[in-house]
Amino acid sequence: MRERVDRASDRASGSFRFAEARGRRGGWLLICVFLLLGLCASGPPAAASPLIARCELEGVVDAGSGAYLADCVKRAEEKGAQALLVRLDTPGGSLEATRAIVRAFLGSRVPVLVWVGPSGAHAGSAGVFIALASNVSAMAPGTNIGAAHPVGARGEDVDQQGGEQLARKIENDTVAFAEGIARQRGRNPEWAAAAVRDSASVPADRAVALRVVELIAPTEAAFLTAVDGRRVEVADGDTVTLATREARIESLTPGLSQRVVHAIAQPSIVYLLFLVAALGLVVELSHPGAVAPGLVGIVALVLALMASATLPVRSGALVLMLVGVGLIIAELFVTSGLLGAAGTGLLVLGGVFLVDRFEPDWFVEPSFRPSWTVMLPTALLFAGAATFIAYRSAQTRKLPQRGGDAGLVGEAGTALGPVTPSGGEVFVHGERWRAVSFQPIHEGARVVVRAVEGLTLTVTEAMP
């Protein structure tokens, strides 16, 4: 009887455990069903917006801006960007820096999009090569591109500087460079050659018609919308379909050294830096121990040398400027007026010829030189300051001397005891002095100094 009861109890316990296991399996099944329904309701995960890296080239093409754009290509590849957008507005610059940018663009695994804008901007001289090297180029209305003929920094033809043979060699090399870029990117090689040989320059609509650029776009957003879906070939031979509509744009800022080099690589900045350096060093040498003028002069000189290393600076112009500063400083001691005027003229002349020496790897528009709005006011300011100081110095020399032995003449004092031709003591200018007088003076009388000889004063009694 007891055995039957135990068997019944075991069967009941087994049934309970089975029901409990089925309950747990049912709960997990319900959870899975709910999760599946939630995933179906939410749909597939939303794709992230495409990334467009963006950088700018505004101003002269120099070592700083060249390194910046090449670095932008590298950073865009590392970020996996859909494309690199470059805003371009330049008068030209160093061909060496331009070649570095072109190499980076042609070797980029990320499509490079160049937009010449906003309205009023231009891609001049070296900027032509940069625009041609992009995968897709666009220009804003009111912009122009061209004038890539090799010239000196003042605008003169090469054959006027280095002879016909040198001119032809440089021109042919530059033409080949432009045509090679244009053919690789499927653009008009004939116009690229004309931009170099004949300084051809065209506005935005003509640039599109001549297959120099692909599009006219008033804004960067319009440019990105227009190229969406376009297929381009990148460096490794792959064809990429651009997805730029409503893309997420991330600006790539230049490094500190790149910013500094680009900021100071301007003719007007170099002109000012050399003047400040010369003035600071001259003041320090004429007043040893002042420290501050010398420190400012050294810093300005270092910056000027850094900038001149990236510009075609003429050494003779620097000599003219230094001589001009020296003449203006000399005017402070001579006060004739002629030295100051000559120094001012040399400062202006040095600025005119500062960026004047032809270099085969430097192509800029003729307007690339120190601005008259910088040179004239600076030279006149230096001359005016020197004239004012010289005038005040002349006035000071006419005043009676207030210090030293000569400064005691005419000073009043008091006799500390009887003063006779043989001697006595007086109190003058806060000090006790030995004194003599041709007429006896009693103690306590007011006296006036008439002459100083060594440490002895010649005095007379002051009239009441």
Side-chain angles (χ1 to χ4, degrees):
M1 181 67 181
R2 184 171 180 176
E3 291 179 358
R4 286 197 298 271
V5 172
D6 290 341
R7 286 197 296 271
S9 176
D10 291 341
R11 284 196 298 272
S13 176
S15 298
F16 177 76
R17 287 195 299 271
F18 177 73
E20 184 181 9
R22 289 187 61 186
R24 284 199 300 268
R25 286 197 296 272
W28 282 111
L29 183 60
L30 287 175
I31 292 174
C32 291
V33 169
F34 283 127
L35 289 175
L36 183 60
L37 291 175
L39 290 175
C40 293
S42 63
S49 300
L51 172 65
I52 301 293
R54 178 185 180 276
C55 59
E56 296 183 359
L57 173 54
E58 185 171 359
V60 64
V61 180
D62 52 52
S65 56
Y68 166 54
L69 285 187
D71 187 51
C72 283
V73 172
K74 180 180 178 181
R75 291 161 66 184
E77 291 176 343
E78 292 174 348
K79 291 177 178 293
Q82 172 67 205
L84 172 64
L85 174 64
V86 180
R87 185 181 75 82
L88 183 63
D89 180 12
T90 177
S94 166
L95 186 59
E96 180 180 356
T98 303
R99 287 184 182 275
I101 296 172
V102 169
R103 283 195 299 267
F105 283 10
L106 296 181
S108 174
R109 298 189 302 273
V110 171
V112 179
L113 314 176
V114 169
W115 179 66
V116 182
S119 296
H122 64 316
S125 193
V128 173
F129 305 109
I130 297 174
L132 290 176
S134 65
N135 294 96
V136 185
S137 290
M139 298 174 63
T143 59
N144 66 285
I145 184 173
H149 184 64
V151 296
R154 197 176 56 180
E156 64 275 13
D157 279 324
V158 179
D159 53 8
Q160 297 176 5
Q161 292 266 335
E164 185 178 352
Q165 295 298 324
L166 177 61
R168 185 179 298 112
K169 178 181 178 180
I170 295 173
E171 183 178 276
N172 290 338
D173 181 70
T174 311
V175 167
F177 182 41
E179 286 182 330
I181 300 171
R183 286 195 174 93
Q184 182 169 348
R185 291 306 193 194
R187 296 193 171 95
N188 188 339
E190 289 77 17
W191 181 89
V196 177
R197 294 191 190 279
D198 306 321
S199 296
S201 181
V202 293
D205 54 348
R206 286 285 296 156
V208 174
L210 292 171
R211 292 189 301 110
V212 179
V213 300
E214 285 72 29
L215 300 165
I216 295 179
T219 62
E220 294 180 16
F223 180 31
L224 294 177
T225 301
V227 299
D228 185 65
R230 185 185 289 261
R231 296 173 63 83
V232 297
E233 184 177 332
V234 293
D236 52 10
D238 293 338
T239 300
V240 177
T241 301
L242 296 175
T244 53
R245 188 188 300 270
E246 299 180 355
R248 177 170 52 92
I249 298 178
E250 179 179 338
S251 294
L252 305 179
T253 57
L256 178 60
S257 62
Q258 297 166 355
R259 254 196 311 265
V260 170
V261 172
H262 184 60
I264 64 178
Q266 305 291 336
S268 297
I269 300 298
V270 175
Y271 178 77
L272 293 176
L273 286 174
F274 270 114
L275 287 186
V276 171
L279 184 62
L281 294 177
V282 168
V283 172
E284 180 65 31
L285 291 175
S286 59
H287 297 79
V291 179
L295 182 60
V296 171
I298 291 175
V299 172
L301 181 61
V302 171
L303 292 176
L305 292 176
M306 288 175 55
S308 62
T310 62
L311 292 176
V313 173
R314 190 168 186 167
S315 56
L318 298 180
V319 174
L320 290 177
M321 292 166 56
L322 292 176
V323 173
V325 172
L327 291 178
I328 291 177
I329 296 296
E331 180 66 32
L332 303 180
F333 304 95
V334 179
T335 65
S336 65
L338 295 178
L339 295 181
T344 303
L346 290 181
L347 288 183
V348 175
L349 194 61
V352 171
F353 291 105
L354 180 63
V355 183
D356 187 55
R357 180 170 56 86
F358 172 74
E359 290 187 4
D361 61 348
W362 191 268
F363 301 122
V364 291
E365 292 183 341
S367 61
F368 185 72
R369 57 188 176 186
S371 170
W372 285 101
T373 58
V374 172
M375 288 191 298
L376 281 181
T378 303
L380 293 176
L381 179 63
F382 267 72
T387 302
F388 175 76
I389 295 175
Y391 172 73
R392 295 294 297 171
S393 299
Q395 283 187 325
T396 303
R397 282 194 289 269
K398 294 179 182 179
L399 297 176
Q401 185 173 343
R402 298 297 184 184
D405 293 347
L408 290 173
V409 177
E411 290 286 334
T414 305
L416 297 177
V419 180
T420 64
S422 61
E425 284 190 339
V426 296
F427 189 77
V428 178
H429 212 275
E431 297 174 324
R432 297 172 65 99
W433 289 86
R434 183 177 181 277
V436 296
S437 174
F438 297 111
Q439 298 294 331
I441 301 174
H442 60 84
E443 181 180 355
R446 296 289 295 171
V447 298
V448 177
V449 179
R450 299 304 181 186
V452 180
E453 185 176 352
L455 299 177
T456 302
L457 306 182
T458 300
V459 298
T460 61
E461 188 173 357
M463 298 300 292

